[in-house]
Amino acid sequence: MYDLAILWDWVAFSVRWLHVITAMAWIGASFYFIALDLMLKPAPDMPDGVSGEEWEVHGGGFYHTQKYMVAPAQMPEHLTWHKWQSYWTWLSGAALLMIVYWVGGELYLLDPTKAELALWQGILISGGSLTIGWLLYDAMCKSKLSENPTLLMLLLFAILVAMSWGYNQIFTGRAALLHLGAFTATIMTANVFFQIMPNQRIVVADLKAGRTPDAKYGKIAKVRSTHNNYLTLPVVFLMLSNHYPLAFGTEYAWIIASLIFLTGVTIRHYFNTMHKTGKGPHWTWGVTVVLMILIAWLSTVRTGDTWQEAEARALTPYEQQFATAAGFDAAYDTVIGNCSMCHAREPVWGNMQWAPKGVYLETPSDVARHASAIYLQAGVSHAMPPPNAVQMDAEARMTLITWVQNVKEDDG
């Protein structure tokens, strides 16, 4: 029978895979339609109501696309809706957040060096905070601010900076950046669910009823789609950031996350302009490079507790259940002998400057905190340590397995 930890890890892997697949479909469709919209050109023989057309070649054939600025004269027989990509990306992302950061909250969500929170408090903040951005952003879009798109985007950026700082005051660096990505993705999906799709349904209903659709509904949908277009690349960066401690394990991680949103604007501005005019503004690449150099510099400022602080800190209840389990002393010695040369606050392996994924395995609290990851990475699998670094024998791995299973048996 599969061990629950192994089964749960495969559940997380499967949901992550689904999230990546649906995100690829959503981003691909979003980028394509924005590019298509910008590439539309007028033609002398266009039907009434068509604002532009585009000829494309792909897959051994030619495609002729025409866009009706409001709607065609009558309802088309075949109409394809693009919505499920967005919904499933958000749903799978929300499920993955719950699996990793709620169920695994003691390890990945809470940082006892920043805030003393119970797991339920962290989960409440995690879930509740995701809706704040949408409520503020939607209210701004429906206000007179909508008449000033530049000011609207600047205010949204200010909200993102504030949330980036706030998340980093409470959660682990990894969780902070991931939650900022989820915060932004929630705005994007809510745009689709609450604005873009309902407005398109109004237009379709008018067509079916023989009424002339109002052009304002299409304009609202286009504005929200454009906002999503500029937010996409930063969200992708934030979702990948958990693999790179240089992004999340620094004192200025919240500034790094904020600057990434600016790179999203410069990169998308280049491609959007190129699609529309045939030539992109090259200055945007210079600005992007400068921003990335600044981000790289900020990433060298380390954060987190020192070895002395970690050694002196009282263990959390979660850590205590592993530190007091039978076999912990032997497991701790095994980790120190096989893992801590890399997973240290000051690694001594080769030219390594930072511990992989920001995981420290030096003090008893460090080892107890990462018990489940140790069990999966160095116990039941041979992913760690790398075989060209340390040849960890079967007996050492069994020591780790036995230790963690002792905890599970006690809980059972």
Side-chain angles (χ1 to χ4, degrees):
M1 183 176 180
Y2 275 106
D3 182 277
L4 180 59
I6 298 173
L7 180 60
W8 189 248
D9 209 47
W10 273 108
V11 169
F13 191 1
S14 300
V15 175
R16 189 182 299 275
W17 191 19
L18 173 64
H19 185 54
V20 170
I21 292 170
T22 54
M24 289 169 60
W26 184 18
I27 293 170
S30 174
F31 280 9
Y32 171 73
F33 279 107
I34 288 291
L36 177 63
D37 191 67
L38 292 169
M39 290 188 294
L40 293 170
K41 300 293 187 297
D45 57 345
M46 294 189 304
D48 292 339
V50 173
S51 61
E53 66 177 15
E54 177 69 11
W55 283 90
E56 300 175 273
V57 59
H58 180 75
F62 291 85
Y63 297 82
H64 183 205
T65 305
Q66 297 178 322
K67 179 178 180 179
Y68 288 81
M69 196 57 202
V70 181
Q74 60 184 15
M75 182 69 184
E77 183 178 351
H78 300 289
L79 182 62
T80 301
W81 294 80
H82 292 270
K83 56 183 179 178
W84 296 113
Q85 302 98 318
S86 171
Y87 299 164
W88 276 104
T89 298
W90 190 89
L91 289 171
S92 59
L96 189 60
L97 184 144
M98 295 176 190
I99 291 170
V100 176
Y101 292 95
W102 291 10
V103 176
E106 297 282 3
L107 172 60
Y108 296 117
L109 181 66
L110 303 181
D111 187 340
T113 67
K114 292 181 179 179
E116 294 185 5
L117 296 173
L119 181 56
W120 70 267
Q121 293 174 315
I123 292 173
L124 189 63
I125 295 172
S126 169
S129 65
L130 299 183
T131 63
I132 296 174
W134 162 249
L135 295 174
L136 292 175
Y137 164 79
D138 188 54
M140 291 191 301
C141 287
K142 292 176 179 177
S143 71
K144 292 184 178 181
L145 288 171
S146 61
E147 300 172 4
N148 191 330
T150 301
L151 179 59
L152 178 61
M153 289 302 290
L154 287 174
L155 289 174
L156 176 59
F157 177 66
I159 292 173
L160 293 169
V161 173
M163 290 304 299
S164 180
W165 179 85
Y167 279 135
N168 274 275
Q169 302 308 304
I170 301 174
F171 296 148
T172 66
R174 169 177 167 171
L177 265 62
L178 189 285
H179 275 75
L180 184 63
F183 177 90
T184 310
T186 298
I187 293 176
M188 295 170 64
T189 297
N191 270 338
V192 177
F193 187 79
F194 291 112
Q195 288 296 322
I196 296 174
M197 294 308 301
N199 287 329
Q200 290 178 338
R201 290 192 187 98
I202 292 173
V203 172
V204 169
D206 285 341
L207 284 175
K208 290 181 177 179
R211 298 187 296 266
T212 300
D214 193 326
K216 71 177 184 180
Y217 298 112
K219 292 179 181 178
I220 293 173
K222 183 177 179 180
V223 168
R224 301 292 182 118
S225 293
T226 301
H227 290 172
N228 282 4
N229 180 253
Y230 281 99
L231 293 173
T232 298
L233 294 182
V235 170
V236 173
F237 177 94
L238 294 170
M239 295 308 178
L240 294 174
S241 66
N242 67 90
H243 296 285
Y244 298 93
L246 281 175
F248 67 77
T250 69
E251 183 177 348
Y252 299 118
W254 68 275
I255 300 179
I256 290 174
S258 302
L259 293 177
I260 282 298
F261 281 95
L262 298 182
T263 67
V265 171
T266 55
I267 294 171
R268 289 312 305 163
H269 179 63
Y270 175 86
F271 284 104
N272 290 342
T273 304
M274 184 177 66
H275 292 319
K276 186 174 183 179
T277 66
K279 185 178 180 180
H282 295 294
W283 63 264
T284 57
W285 290 102
V287 173
T288 304
V289 170
V290 171
L291 288 171
M292 291 305 297
I293 291 174
L294 178 58
I295 287 171
W297 176 70
L298 289 171
S299 73
T300 62
V301 181
R302 300 192 187 190
T303 188
D305 53 0
T306 63
W307 181 88
Q308 291 81 2
E309 291 171 337
E311 182 73 15
R313 179 178 62 80
L315 274 65
T316 65
Y318 175 81
E319 293 166 348
Q320 287 176 355
Q321 66 175 329
F322 289 99
T324 57
F328 173 74
D329 290 339
Y332 176 74
D333 291 339
T334 299
V335 171
I336 293 299
N338 292 275
C339 312
S340 63
M341 67 284 293
C342 296
H343 289 281
R345 288 159 179 81
E346 295 183 7
V348 296
W349 176 262
N351 295 319
M352 188 176 292
Q353 299 297 318
W354 288 271
K357 298 193 91 172
V359 174
Y360 302 136
L361 299 174
E362 295 181 290
T363 69
S365 62
D366 290 338
V367 175
R369 180 177 177 83
H370 293 91
S372 294
I374 293 170
Y375 175 71
L376 292 172
Q377 297 284 336
V380 296
S381 79
H382 293 186
M384 288 291 159
N388 60 335
V390 176
Q391 294 292 329
M392 192 172 182
D393 59 34
E395 183 179 354
R397 295 186 190 278
M398 184 54 64
T399 298
L400 301 178
I401 293 174
T402 302
W403 160 53
V404 176
Q405 287 182 344
N406 286 337
V407 177
K408 296 181 181 300
E409 290 174 0
D410 291 342
D411 290 343

PDB file of all heavy atoms in Angstrom, residues 285-295:
ATOM      1  N   TRP A 285      13.627  46.936 -24.469  1.00  0.00           N
ATOM      2  CA  TRP A 285      14.559  45.878 -24.094  1.00  0.00           C
ATOM      3  C   TRP A 285      15.663  46.421 -23.212  1.00  0.00           C
ATOM      4  O   TRP A 285      16.128  45.747 -22.284  1.00  0.00           O
ATOM      5  CB  TRP A 285      15.131  45.214 -25.347  1.00  0.00           C
ATOM      6  CG  TRP A 285      14.099  44.400 -26.051  1.00  0.00           C
ATOM      7  CD1 TRP A 285      13.406  44.737 -27.176  1.00  0.00           C
ATOM      8  CD2 TRP A 285      13.587  43.130 -25.631  1.00  0.00           C
ATOM      9  NE1 TRP A 285      12.505  43.753 -27.501  1.00  0.00           N
ATOM     10  CE2 TRP A 285      12.594  42.748 -26.579  1.00  0.00           C
ATOM     11  CE3 TRP A 285      13.862  42.275 -24.571  1.00  0.00           C
ATOM     12  CZ2 TRP A 285      11.891  41.554 -26.473  1.00  0.00           C
ATOM     13  CZ3 TRP A 285      13.157  41.077 -24.471  1.00  0.00           C
ATOM     14  CH2 TRP A 285      12.192  40.741 -25.421  1.00  0.00           C
ATOM     15  N   GLY A 286      16.098  47.656 -23.501  1.00  0.00           N
ATOM     16  CA  GLY A 286      17.103  48.281 -22.642  1.00  0.00           C
ATOM     17  C   GLY A 286      16.588  48.477 -21.229  1.00  0.00           C
ATOM     18  O   GLY A 286      17.289  48.202 -20.250  1.00  0.00           O
ATOM     19  N   VAL A 287      15.342  48.937 -21.115  1.00  0.00           N
ATOM     20  CA  VAL A 287      14.741  49.124 -19.797  1.00  0.00           C
ATOM     21  C   VAL A 287      14.606  47.784 -19.071  1.00  0.00           C
ATOM     22  O   VAL A 287      14.882  47.680 -17.871  1.00  0.00           O
ATOM     23  CB  VAL A 287      13.360  49.808 -19.926  1.00  0.00           C
ATOM     24  CG1 VAL A 287      12.650  49.845 -18.576  1.00  0.00           C
ATOM     25  CG2 VAL A 287      13.507  51.224 -20.473  1.00  0.00           C
ATOM     26  N   THR A 288      14.204  46.754 -19.816  1.00  0.00           N
ATOM     27  CA  THR A 288      14.044  45.427 -19.208  1.00  0.00           C
ATOM     28  C   THR A 288      15.366  44.895 -18.681  1.00  0.00           C
ATOM     29  O   THR A 288      15.431  44.342 -17.570  1.00  0.00           O
ATOM     30  CB  THR A 288      13.460  44.442 -20.236  1.00  0.00           C
ATOM     31  OG1 THR A 288      12.229  44.953 -20.751  1.00  0.00           O
ATOM     32  CG2 THR A 288      13.215  43.084 -19.593  1.00  0.00           C
ATOM     33  N   VAL A 289      16.434  45.072 -19.453  1.00  0.00           N
ATOM     34  CA  VAL A 289      17.765  44.613 -19.021  1.00  0.00           C
ATOM     35  C   VAL A 289      18.203  45.351 -17.761  1.00  0.00           C
ATOM     36  O   VAL A 289      18.724  44.736 -16.813  1.00  0.00           O
ATOM     37  CB  VAL A 289      18.797  44.812 -20.154  1.00  0.00           C
ATOM     38  CG1 VAL A 289      20.213  44.581 -19.628  1.00  0.00           C
ATOM     39  CG2 VAL A 289      18.512  43.857 -21.307  1.00  0.00           C
ATOM     40  N   VAL A 290      17.984  46.665 -17.720  1.00  0.00           N
ATOM     41  CA  VAL A 290      18.351  47.448 -16.528  1.00  0.00           C
ATOM     42  C   VAL A 290      17.569  46.955 -15.316  1.00  0.00           C
ATOM     43  O   VAL A 290      18.125  46.797 -14.215  1.00  0.00           O
ATOM     44  CB  VAL A 290      18.086  48.950 -16.767  1.00  0.00           C
ATOM     45  CG1 VAL A 290      18.243  49.735 -15.459  1.00  0.00           C
ATOM     46  CG2 VAL A 290      19.042  49.493 -17.824  1.00  0.00           C
ATOM     47  N   LEU A 291      16.283  46.703 -15.488  1.00  0.00           N
ATOM     48  CA  LEU A 291      15.464  46.202 -14.382  1.00  0.00           C
ATOM     49  C   LEU A 291      15.959  44.847 -13.890  1.00  0.00           C
ATOM     50  O   LEU A 291      16.020  44.595 -12.681  1.00  0.00           O
ATOM     51  CB  LEU A 291      14.002  46.096 -14.817  1.00  0.00           C
ATOM     52  CG  LEU A 291      13.239  47.415 -14.989  1.00  0.00           C
ATOM     53  CD1 LEU A 291      11.879  47.172 -15.634  1.00  0.00           C
ATOM     54  CD2 LEU A 291      13.062  48.111 -13.640  1.00  0.00           C
ATOM     55  N   MET A 292      16.332  43.961 -14.819  1.00  0.00           N
ATOM     56  CA  MET A 292      16.801  42.636 -14.421  1.00  0.00           C
ATOM     57  C   MET A 292      18.160  42.714 -13.720  1.00  0.00           C
ATOM     58  O   MET A 292      18.436  41.937 -12.795  1.00  0.00           O
ATOM     59  CB  MET A 292      16.890  41.715 -15.639  1.00  0.00           C
ATOM     60  CG  MET A 292      15.535  41.346 -16.234  1.00  0.00           C
ATOM     61  SD  MET A 292      14.397  40.598 -15.027  1.00  0.00           S
ATOM     62  CE  MET A 292      15.266  39.094 -14.576  1.00  0.00           C
ATOM     63  N   ILE A 293      19.012  43.652 -14.140  1.00  0.00           N
ATOM     64  CA  ILE A 293      20.293  43.843 -13.453  1.00  0.00           C
ATOM     65  C   ILE A 293      20.042  44.335 -12.026  1.00  0.00           C
ATOM     66  O   ILE A 293      20.687  43.871 -11.073  1.00  0.00           O
ATOM     67  CB  ILE A 293      21.178  44.843 -14.224  1.00  0.00           C
ATOM     68  CG1 ILE A 293      21.638  44.214 -15.548  1.00  0.00           C
ATOM     69  CG2 ILE A 293      22.383  45.258 -13.384  1.00  0.00           C
ATOM     70  CD1 ILE A 293      22.394  45.169 -16.450  1.00  0.00           C
ATOM     71  N   LEU A 294      19.095  45.248 -11.883  1.00  0.00           N
ATOM     72  CA  LEU A 294      18.741  45.743 -10.552  1.00  0.00           C
ATOM     73  C   LEU A 294      18.187  44.616  -9.687  1.00  0.00           C
ATOM     74  O   LEU A 294      18.524  44.496  -8.499  1.00  0.00           O
ATOM     75  CB  LEU A 294      17.722  46.878 -10.677  1.00  0.00           C
ATOM     76  CG  LEU A 294      17.190  47.485  -9.365  1.00  0.00           C
ATOM     77  CD1 LEU A 294      18.345  48.023  -8.524  1.00  0.00           C
ATOM     78  CD2 LEU A 294      16.179  48.579  -9.660  1.00  0.00           C
ATOM     79  N   ILE A 295      17.350  43.773 -10.278  1.00  0.00           N
ATOM     80  CA  ILE A 295      16.786  42.629  -9.559  1.00  0.00           C
ATOM     81  C   ILE A 295      17.896  41.674  -9.115  1.00  0.00           C
ATOM     82  O   ILE A 295      17.909  41.196  -7.975  1.00  0.00           O
ATOM     83  CB  ILE A 295      15.762  41.906 -10.446  1.00  0.00           C
ATOM     84  CG1 ILE A 295      14.475  42.736 -10.556  1.00  0.00           C
ATOM     85  CG2 ILE A 295      15.456  40.503  -9.916  1.00  0.00           C
ATOM     86  CD1 ILE A 295      13.498  42.218 -11.581  1.00  0.00           C
TER      87      ILE A 295
END
